[in-house]
Amino acid sequence: MSFTSHTVTICSTARLVRGMHLQRQQTQLASGKQQWQAIEAYTLQQWLDQLMENATLLGLLPSDALPIIKLSDVAEAFLWEQAITNCLAKHEAAALFDVRALAKSAIEANQLMCDWLISEADINHQFITQETRQFLRWRHTFQALCAQQNAIDVARLTALQIELMEQHHVTLPERIVLAGFDRITPLEHQLFEHLKARGVQVEEFAANTISNGHVEQYALNDSHAECSAAVAWAKRKLAENPQTQLAIISPVLGNIRRELADLLDDTFHPETLHASQYEAPRCYDFSLGLTLTEYPLVHSALRLLRFASTKANISFEEVTPILQDVYWSSDAEIDARAQLDAYLRQRLNANYSLEALINQVNKLQLENVLLKSLIEHLKVIAQFQTQSHKRQLPSMWVAAFVGLLDALNWAKSRALSSYEYQMQQSFQKRLAELSALDSILGNIAIYEALQKLVELCNAAMFQPETTGDTHIQLLGLLETPALQLDAIWALNMNDQHWPPPVKLNPLLPAELQRSRSIPNASASVQTEFATLVQRRLMLSAPEIVFSYALKEDERELRPSPLLMQGESAANSIGTVYSIQTLAEILAQPAAMQMFDDSTAPPVSEDEKVRGGVKLFATQAICPAWAFYQYRLGANKLETPIDGLDNMSRGSLLHKVLQLFWLDCESLTNLKAMSSQQRLTAIDVAIEKSIIALAQEIGPHLPPQVLQIERQRLNQLMQYWLALELERADFAVRDCEKKYPLEIEGLSLNLTIDRIDTLTDGGIVVMDYKTSSVVTNRTWADDRIAEPQLPIYAALALKDEQVVAVCFAKVRTDETKFIGLSEVDGILPGVTTLSKARVEGFKRFESWNALLQHWDSSLKAIAQEIKTGIASVTFQKESDLEYCDVKPLLRLPERMLQFEQVQVIASEGSN
């Protein structure tokens, strides 16, 4: 019998191993030592792997005692899926099975059979369910596939290693200490008994226990209140003693991880809000990391690989994050890429080809927007896409992926931070794992290789190595803390979380699972285990706090029944500790300098004011809107669609109407046309309009979309011309007529949709509308929110005899004229000023009085624009529905200021 003279500590989790090393380091440093013997702490599987490797090197084990390949999680899942697929190949409903979910349940069932020493004879009887019978078939097929590859899964590997240990006299330590094992499986028990029989001293880790700890229980409103209270409690404890060691524990730590991290940063490290301080040392440490795909650097790599691995059209929603990605191409071009994103949204559909993207980048280059590196890298992607991607081994795909990322300058656009470097190293390990799957996966397609890489990254939990003096451990309830703790707060202690809910494996007999007391098999098993864990927790620190939520959304919650057993607990209800988020702290009233920002600089003589009629409309609704959008040029990003958006469809209709009336010229000519001639004239106008549109926005419109537009326009034109035939005689004088105009020193360029001349010399001014809501109500207001026609009639055509103004509402659901006329009978459905239903029009005694009102009102608005009036004032917030710069108006902040002023005023009056 061979022994080594050292002690080995076997931990239940890898985190506990890390904690043991950290505790050893802190102890030795505190004693003044600079060098010390590292503690030998491993997980059980790590120790067995090392033991077998050493025994093989020393010749104590045959070199072929263990299979060559140890299956990774992804490789094992793949073989299970293959086994299940083979078994279900002839099943009549094979296509309906979720093979991936079945494989997940089969892996768990196989693990339970190995850990709890369940043989097939224990479950293979005549009364077993069809599901269990199928599982046994899958298991045999899976094991046969493993044998073909000389591979073994982790579940059977542990059992095989224990068997080899029993058959061969491998070198063992004199003493083994078990740490963190709340539950020992029969397989582990068999191992430990064998070690004892071999003379190894096996004992449990003797942690310092507290026999009479102080216990408190708190009922809080919800989970958010619990998180806030726990962080506030930690802040108070560290204020009392900066060297105290605390733990915040939850049975559902993954659900609240982000919220706790935000609260802890707000409370202890507000400086980390700045990007440059993001990786600053923290006083807390999470036991639970995030999947590797959730980290930006890795997400960037996978997104680029996915982009380069398909020849299908790309969506603008995919292109935007790629252009904003700082981890590839040139970091110096990031601002230019943002300009490109806005440019693409205006000129391309929602989906387009990579070739179209490259063409648009080249066009933007001509406008002196430097995107040299981006063009080169997009061409690299295009070349990668055109290569013949035949099925090949995973290692070949990994070489291709690495070469592509290197060519795209991924992770090299700037120096990586410590966290980013760790992410990169972890990602490279996943690539190495994929390369090792050659014999398992064989030749696969590119999309399969990428999918397996994503699965490997999803399976890898990553937590950057923390630095600094850690005083708050954030743990799952089943984890054993490595450090001696001074106080613990256990939150989320509701009955739906603790004890953990029952979750039987569907592929093993339920009664067998209950009789063997397998984890998750029954309420009694879960309660017994939870009681054991809670008892261990109660002995881990001199102060224990339990909390639970009273509700979740609208659902009332109950505390865990295990909390009711604590008779010594001091129960309290309400918010016992509270903490404010950084946003709440910054929102607190403070001494502020009041500054009136309602006045902008006046319009200078050389300033070109954009917007035209829309400038007047937005100034009338909200002056700040007009200033931000038309004087400063602020705007929202476009949201492209496949086909034509509403604006393009409206412009197309305008063009068709223009071309039709330029050819038809008058009502007399319209009436002289036969039905067929009218249809032909409509079709000609539509075709010319579509050709003009295609030349304007490019040839990327699908033919199907254009055919739908032809049908829509033909129907609209027939509806509209039927209404025009009801009018008195007229001639079309101008269509889409451009008028330069100066109002109070502001130069505008107007385009009047249509001007008709009547037989008596009067003119009708018309503006086409395709929106569902069209109204002329504001024409009587001092601030005219629909100023197009008033500007045309009162200012652009002030020297002419304007006798009617109207909106021409052209829609399939409603076609009508909406406006006012000087006398009756000019337009169907349009009344005179004296008969207008809108109450405001009754104050105008004549048509000329209305025109004079429009003149004075519009000139007053022009004066506002010219002098720089830019206040956030409006009648009702619904008027801002189509405001593109609404976030700049800061309405919530202004409402808060208004409320504070009201409070101060009311306090003063009291």
Side-chain angles (χ1 to χ4, degrees):
M1 188 175 296
S2 177
F3 291 102
T4 58
S5 60
H6 60 273
T7 297
V8 170
T9 301
I10 297 179
C11 303
S12 58
T13 64
R15 177 181 169 80
L16 187 54
V17 172
R18 186 161 66 99
M20 289 282 186
H21 286 287
L22 180 61
Q23 185 183 38
R24 174 80 167 177
Q25 175 184 338
Q26 292 177 347
T27 302
Q28 297 300 319
L29 289 174
S31 63
K33 294 183 179 180
Q34 298 296 320
Q35 296 180 343
W36 58 86
Q37 181 70 35
I39 185 174
E40 291 201 47
Y42 313 92
T43 64
L44 179 58
Q45 192 58 57
Q46 288 172 346
W47 179 68
L48 287 174
D49 288 344
Q50 185 187 71
L51 196 67
M52 294 296 108
E53 182 180 354
N54 291 339
T56 302
L57 292 174
L58 293 173
L60 301 176
L61 281 180
S63 58
D64 60 349
L66 290 168
I68 296 176
I69 300 174
K70 174 184 174 183
L71 294 176
S72 66
D73 292 341
V74 171
E76 182 179 359
F78 175 81
L79 286 184
W80 274 106
E81 290 172 17
Q82 186 177 343
I84 294 170
T85 301
N86 292 344
C87 293
L88 295 177
K90 296 182 180 180
H91 196 286
E92 58 184 5
L96 301 178
F97 287 97
D98 185 349
V99 175
R100 182 163 295 183
L102 290 174
K104 184 177 179 181
S105 296
I107 292 171
E108 179 188 302
N110 184 56
Q111 182 77 51
L112 291 174
M113 288 185 66
C114 293
D115 288 347
W116 294 82
L117 302 180
I118 300 172
S119 66
E120 291 193 6
D122 295 329
I123 60 178
N124 194 3
H125 54 77
Q126 59 181 341
F127 301 112
I128 64 172
T129 63
Q130 182 66 25
E131 290 81 4
T132 303
R133 186 173 288 108
Q134 287 287 347
F135 163 66
L136 294 178
R137 287 183 60 208
W138 303 340
R139 192 168 187 253
H140 291 159
T141 307
F142 169 77
Q143 291 175 355
L145 292 173
C146 289
Q148 291 175 10
Q149 303 290 339
N150 195 13
I152 191 169
D153 53 290
V154 175
R156 290 188 298 142
L157 176 62
T158 304
L160 178 58
Q161 290 172 330
I162 294 173
E163 182 181 341
L164 291 172
M165 184 188 303
E166 294 174 346
Q167 294 173 357
H168 300 80
H169 290 283
V170 299
T171 303
L172 298 172
E174 290 185 350
R175 180 168 173 261
I176 289 179
V177 178
L178 304 179
F181 284 85
D182 291 318
R183 174 188 277 146
I184 296 178
T185 67
L187 182 63
E188 293 168 342
H189 180 75
Q190 174 185 317
L191 168 63
F192 299 147
E193 289 301 313
H194 170 72
L195 292 174
K196 291 177 182 177
R198 293 277 300 274
V200 179
Q201 182 181 351
V202 180
E203 59 189 61
E204 293 188 12
F205 179 72
N208 295 331
T209 57
I210 308 299
S211 57
N212 295 313
H214 177 67
V215 180
E216 294 180 87
Q217 292 180 187
Y218 296 114
L220 296 165
N221 190 48
D222 52 27
S223 178
H224 173 72
E226 284 190 89
C227 293
S228 299
V231 173
W233 167 83
K235 181 180 180 181
R236 181 182 299 182
K237 289 292 180 183
L238 286 172
E240 294 171 354
N241 178 10
Q243 299 305 316
T244 193
Q245 288 293 333
L246 309 173
I248 297 176
I249 299 177
S250 169
V252 286
L253 183 61
N255 296 350
I256 59 173
R257 185 191 190 282
R258 286 181 172 81
E259 183 173 9
L260 279 174
D262 289 343
L263 286 169
L264 288 164
D265 278 345
D266 284 356
T267 304
F268 296 101
H269 307 285
E271 70 279 1
T272 56
L273 183 66
H274 298 283
S276 61
Q277 296 294 318
Y278 175 70
E279 297 182 14
R282 263 70 162 187
C283 68
Y284 64 87
D285 184 29
F286 276 94
S287 67
L288 180 68
L290 302 173
T291 62
L292 197 56
T293 51
E294 295 187 65
Y295 291 91
L297 182 70
V298 176
H299 192 66
S300 165
L302 296 175
R303 183 168 50 218
L304 289 171
L305 292 175
R306 193 178 297 112
F307 180 37
S309 299
T310 177
K311 297 180 182 179
N313 280 357
I314 48 179
S315 165
F316 85 96
E317 295 175 337
E318 299 174 88
V319 174
T320 294
I322 288 173
L323 294 178
Q324 294 175 349
D325 189 346
V326 298
Y327 290 114
W328 77 293
S329 195
S330 172
D331 189 47
E333 294 179 355
I334 196 68
D335 290 339
R337 282 194 257 159
Q339 294 180 48
L340 173 63
D341 181 36
Y343 183 85
L344 295 172
R345 288 165 176 263
Q346 294 173 351
R347 287 163 177 80
L348 293 179
N349 285 344
N351 296 277
Y352 45 85
S353 66
L354 178 58
E355 181 184 3
L357 171 59
I358 294 174
N359 290 338
Q360 292 297 325
V361 177
N362 283 321
K363 289 180 181 179
L364 191 59
Q365 279 271 97
L366 300 177
E367 300 181 16
N368 296 322
V369 179
L370 300 180
L371 291 164
K372 182 179 178 181
S373 295
L374 179 65
I375 290 179
E376 293 177 358
H377 291 135
L378 288 176
K379 289 179 179 177
V380 169
I381 293 175
Q383 183 179 4
F384 185 85
Q385 288 182 348
T386 57
Q387 294 172 357
S388 178
H389 291 314
K390 297 179 180 179
R391 299 175 69 87
Q392 56 187 7
L393 294 174
S395 59
M396 300 294 291
W397 284 124
V398 168
F401 291 162
V402 170
L404 176 64
L405 291 175
D406 187 61
L408 296 179
N409 206 39
W410 175 76
K412 295 188 293 184
S413 60
R414 58 173 174 78
L416 296 181
S417 67
S418 173
Y419 281 12
E420 290 168 338
Y421 177 76
Q422 294 178 53
M423 295 171 204
Q424 184 189 35
Q425 295 301 304
S426 182
F427 179 64
Q428 290 175 350
K429 289 179 182 178
R430 307 292 85 77
L431 289 169
E433 289 179 5
L434 180 59
S435 291
L437 300 179
D438 283 358
S439 60
I440 302 296
L441 302 180
N443 289 331
I444 56 177
I446 187 171
Y447 72 89
E448 294 175 301
L450 186 55
Q451 178 185 344
K452 295 304 175 187
L453 179 59
V454 172
E455 290 176 8
L456 284 166
C457 293
N458 277 326
M461 302 301 292
F462 176 74
Q463 178 80 4
E465 291 293 330
T466 58
T467 58
D469 194 9
T470 302
H471 290 280
I472 306 174
Q473 304 290 325
L474 294 112
L475 309 169
L477 199 53
L478 303 184
E479 294 185 83
T480 301
L483 303 177
Q484 181 62 47
L485 299 173
D486 298 306
I488 295 172
W489 184 301
L491 66 162
N492 303 127
M493 299 296 285
N494 289 90
D495 62 349
Q496 78 268 32
H497 301 314
W498 193 250
V502 174
K503 187 181 178 183
L504 285 164
N505 186 282
L507 301 180
L508 294 177
E511 188 55 40
L512 175 66
Q513 295 181 62
R514 297 189 188 102
S515 63
R516 296 290 184 95
S517 296
I518 288 177
N520 304 313
S522 67
S524 60
V525 169
Q526 298 297 79
T527 300
E528 181 181 352
F529 177 65
T531 302
L532 176 66
V533 172
Q534 190 164 320
R535 186 179 302 119
R536 183 256 298 162
L537 189 66
M538 300 274 284
L539 301 175
S540 299
E543 180 181 341
I544 309 291
V545 178
F546 292 105
S547 69
Y548 56 90
L550 295 173
K551 66 177 183 178
E552 181 180 42
D553 297 327
E554 300 301 320
R555 182 165 65 101
E556 292 186 359
L557 303 180
R558 296 174 300 186
S560 166
L562 298 183
L563 295 186
M564 303 301 183
Q565 300 173 7
E567 296 180 359
S568 61
N571 292 279
S572 299
I573 296 179
T575 304
V576 289
Y577 299 94
S578 62
I579 200 73
Q580 289 183 314
T581 65
L582 187 59
E584 291 171 334
I585 294 172
L586 295 176
Q588 291 299 312
M592 292 184 289
Q593 178 183 1
M594 301 303 293
F595 179 77
D596 185 5
D597 61 352
S598 63
T599 303
V603 177
S604 60
E605 293 183 2
D606 58 346
E607 181 179 350
K608 185 178 180 180
V609 181
R610 296 164 295 181
V613 172
K614 290 183 179 179
L615 171 65
F616 278 71
T618 53
Q619 181 76 21
I621 296 172
C622 175
W625 176 2
F627 172 69
Y628 290 133
Q629 184 159 351
Y630 296 110
R631 289 192 62 192
L632 295 186
N635 217 324
K636 69 175 182 179
L637 285 175
E638 298 291 336
T639 302
I641 63 171
D642 285 324
L644 298 174
D645 57 20
N646 289 334
M647 184 175 294
S648 297
R649 296 172 80 194
S651 299
L652 188 57
L653 177 61
H654 277 61
K655 190 68 174 177
V656 173
L657 287 163
Q658 176 191 6
L659 293 174
F660 179 87
W661 283 112
L662 285 176
D663 184 57
C664 183
E665 295 183 344
S666 68
L667 180 61
T668 301
N669 293 338
L670 179 63
K671 290 180 177 180
M673 290 181 181
S674 66
S675 298
Q676 186 58 47
Q677 288 173 329
R678 195 180 307 154
L679 289 175
T680 301
I682 291 173
D683 289 339
V684 170
I686 290 174
E687 287 305 315
K688 289 182 179 179
S689 300
I690 287 178
I691 292 172
L693 178 70
Q695 291 175 346
E696 179 183 347
I697 66 177
H700 60 275
L701 287 175
Q704 300 89 335
V705 172
L706 296 180
Q707 184 59 33
I708 293 172
E709 284 302 307
R710 288 186 181 93
Q711 296 173 2
R712 182 184 75 90
L713 291 168
N714 191 292
Q715 186 180 42
L716 280 174
M717 287 296 293
Q718 291 189 58
Y719 287 163
W720 181 248
L721 294 179
L723 182 62
E724 295 266 28
L725 287 168
E726 299 177 13
R727 293 178 56 185
D729 196 26
F730 66 88
V732 177
R733 194 183 87 179
D734 293 304
C735 288
E736 304 296 328
K737 178 72 173 180
K738 297 188 180 299
Y739 279 85
L741 180 65
E742 186 170 296
I743 308 176
E744 298 297 299
L746 293 178
S747 296
L748 303 179
N749 291 312
L750 309 178
T751 300
I752 302 177
D753 289 352
R754 182 168 146 196
I755 301 173
D756 291 351
T757 303
L758 304 181
T759 55
D760 61 358
I763 65 173
V764 177
V765 184
M766 194 179 300
D767 190 76
Y768 296 123
K769 292 290 185 182
T770 57
S771 57
S772 58
V773 179
V774 180
T775 179
N776 62 345
R777 289 179 177 274
T778 66
W779 289 354
D781 297 342
D782 292 334
R783 303 183 69 82
I784 304 171
E786 288 283 357
Q788 298 101 312
L789 291 169
I791 287 179
Y792 303 157
L795 298 174
L797 303 172
K798 63 180 179 180
D799 297 328
E800 302 199 40
Q801 185 186 352
V802 178
V803 296
V805 291
C806 72
F807 293 120
K809 185 176 183 181
V810 187
R811 291 175 59 88
T812 54
D813 58 350
E814 188 177 32
T815 301
K816 62 190 297 187
F817 292 106
I818 301 172
L820 291 171
S821 63
E822 185 176 10
V823 295
D824 284 324
I826 296 178
L827 294 165
V830 174
T831 64
T832 62
L833 176 63
S834 60
K835 297 178 182 179
R837 296 181 180 180
V838 178
E839 188 69 24
F841 286 119
K842 294 181 180 179
R843 64 190 176 102
F844 303 109
E845 57 187 20
S846 67
W847 182 254
N848 286 333
L850 177 63
L851 294 177
Q852 183 58 43
H853 161 69
W854 288 347
D855 181 272
S856 59
S857 175
L858 293 168
K859 287 180 178 178
I861 290 177
Q863 279 294 335
E864 284 188 8
I865 297 170
K866 190 174 179 181
T867 57
I869 300 300
S871 59
V872 182
T873 53
F874 49 89
Q875 290 294 320
K876 51 186 182 297
E877 192 169 343
S878 60
D879 293 338
L880 302 174
E881 181 180 359
Y882 300 105
C883 178
D884 291 344
V885 295
K886 195 172 180 179
L888 297 178
L889 303 183
R890 297 172 295 168
L891 299 184
E893 293 92 327
R894 291 179 181 276
M895 180 60 70
L896 179 62
Q897 291 175 0
F898 174 77
E899 292 174 352
Q900 290 175 347
V901 170
Q902 295 297 311
V903 170
I904 294 172
S906 63
E907 290 176 350
S909 62
N910 293 333

